[in-house]
Amino acid sequence: MASEMPAVPGSPAWWASRPPAPTYRRGRPPVDAGRIIDVALKLVDEVGVQALTLRMLADTLESGTATLYRHFSGKDELLAHVVDRIFGDVRVPLGALDGLTWREAATVGAEAFYEALCRHPNALPLLVAQVPVGPNGLLNRERILRLLLSHGFSVGLAARAFTAIGHYVVGFAIQQHGPGAASPEGGAQLRDYYRSLDPAVYPATTAVAEELTSVPLREEFRFGLDLLLDGLEGVRRAGPE
C-alpha cells in the first residue's frame, strides 16, 4: 500500500496536524519559534521570498541552521508561518468596531488588512499559494464572518461577502504593490503613451488618459472597496429570493 503523502505546508491538513511545540529538557533553545518567524518576515521584506535561505536566516539570528530545524522542517514550512504572521499584523484596535454599521466595520477591517499587506509587499506572492487557515488567519476570518452574520447577512451571503472582500484586497495589493509592480513614475509614462495613440482609433482612451493614470492608489483602493460594499448592501437588503 502506498504511503500517504505528507500535507503541504500551509494547507488545512497541515495546520490541523501541527504537533505541540517541542520541549527542551536542557533549557530553552537559543532562539524561539516566534523570533525566527519575525526575522524571516523581516528578511522577506528586505530580499524577497526567493532570495531568502535558511542559512541567511540563521546568520541573521547569529545561530545555526540546526536551531531552525528544531522548529521547522524546511523553508516551505517556515513560510507558512510567515504568511500567518502577516495576518497577525492586521491592526484593528480592540473596540474599534463597536457601534459601527457592518459597512463601516468592514471598511475598517479591509483597510487594516490592506495596510498590513502594504507593509510586506515582497511577501504578497505567498498569499496566492495557500488559503490562510493558520491561527491568525482563522481569527481574522472569524471576526469578519461574525460581524456579517450579526448584521443580518445569511450564512451563504456572509461567506460570499467575506471571500469577495478578501479577494479584492489581496488582488489589489498584489497588482499594485507586489514584486514587479509598476513604479509611481510608470503612471506618467503610461499617460504619455495613451496620449500618443491615434484619437481616431482610440478616442475614449486618449480622452481619459489623464484620469486613467493620475488617481492615487489609496483613493483607487477605497473607490473599488466602496463599490463592492455598496453592492453587498444591496444584496443584503434584498434578502433571500
Side-chain angles (χ1 to χ4, degrees):
M1 182 176 178
S3 60
E4 186 177 346
M5 293 292 291
V8 176
S11 67
W14 181 82
W15 278 111
S17 65
R18 299 315 304 138
T23 57
Y24 298 90
R25 298 183 183 279
R26 298 181 181 179
R28 293 173 60 84
V31 186
D32 65 30
R35 173 159 167 71
I36 293 171
I37 295 165
D38 287 344
V39 173
L41 177 56
K42 183 175 182 292
L43 288 173
V44 168
D45 290 340
E46 293 174 356
V47 304
V49 174
Q50 297 302 320
L52 173 68
T53 66
L54 295 185
R55 169 53 60 190
M56 178 192 301
L57 177 57
D59 289 346
T60 303
L61 291 163
E62 298 183 346
S63 184
T65 55
T67 296
L68 306 183
Y69 283 111
R70 284 181 176 179
H71 298 285
F72 311 103
S73 65
K75 181 177 175 179
D76 288 346
E77 187 169 299
L78 172 64
L79 290 177
H81 285 278
V82 166
V83 170
D84 195 59
R85 173 64 181 77
I86 293 171
F87 279 85
D89 198 30
V90 178
R91 300 167 185 171
V92 179
L94 185 66
L97 306 183
D98 293 349
L100 300 182
T101 66
W102 82 266
R103 198 183 184 291
E104 292 168 338
T107 298
V108 171
E111 290 188 329
F113 185 24
Y114 178 59
E115 293 292 340
L117 299 185
C118 288
R119 286 191 289 271
H120 307 290
N122 282 337
L124 290 175
L126 295 173
L127 276 73
V128 178
Q130 56 189 252
V131 177
V133 289
N136 289 316
L138 287 176
L139 285 174
N140 278 279
R141 179 181 282 98
E142 175 67 18
R143 180 174 59 200
I144 299 300
L145 288 173
R146 186 181 300 173
L147 165 75
L148 297 172
L149 291 171
S150 69
H151 282 81
F153 280 70
S154 68
V155 169
L157 183 57
R160 287 164 175 77
F162 171 83
T163 301
I165 295 170
H167 285 177
Y168 173 73
V169 176
V170 173
F172 190 96
I174 289 174
Q175 184 179 49
Q176 300 297 340
H177 303 283
S183 65
E185 296 77 19
Q189 296 173 355
L190 188 58
R191 177 201 61 207
D192 293 343
Y193 172 69
Y194 288 154
R195 285 176 172 174
S196 72
L197 298 172
D198 184 350
V201 180
Y202 304 102
T205 300
T206 54
V208 301
E210 180 69 29
E211 288 73 13
L212 277 175
T213 56
S214 63
V215 178
L217 285 181
R218 300 292 167 145
E219 183 179 329
E220 183 180 343
F221 172 79
R222 183 58 186 270
F223 180 78
L225 178 62
D226 285 343
L227 287 179
L228 175 58
L229 298 180
D230 285 345
L232 289 172
E233 174 64 4
V235 177
R236 184 188 73 86
R237 286 178 177 274
E241 293 184 0

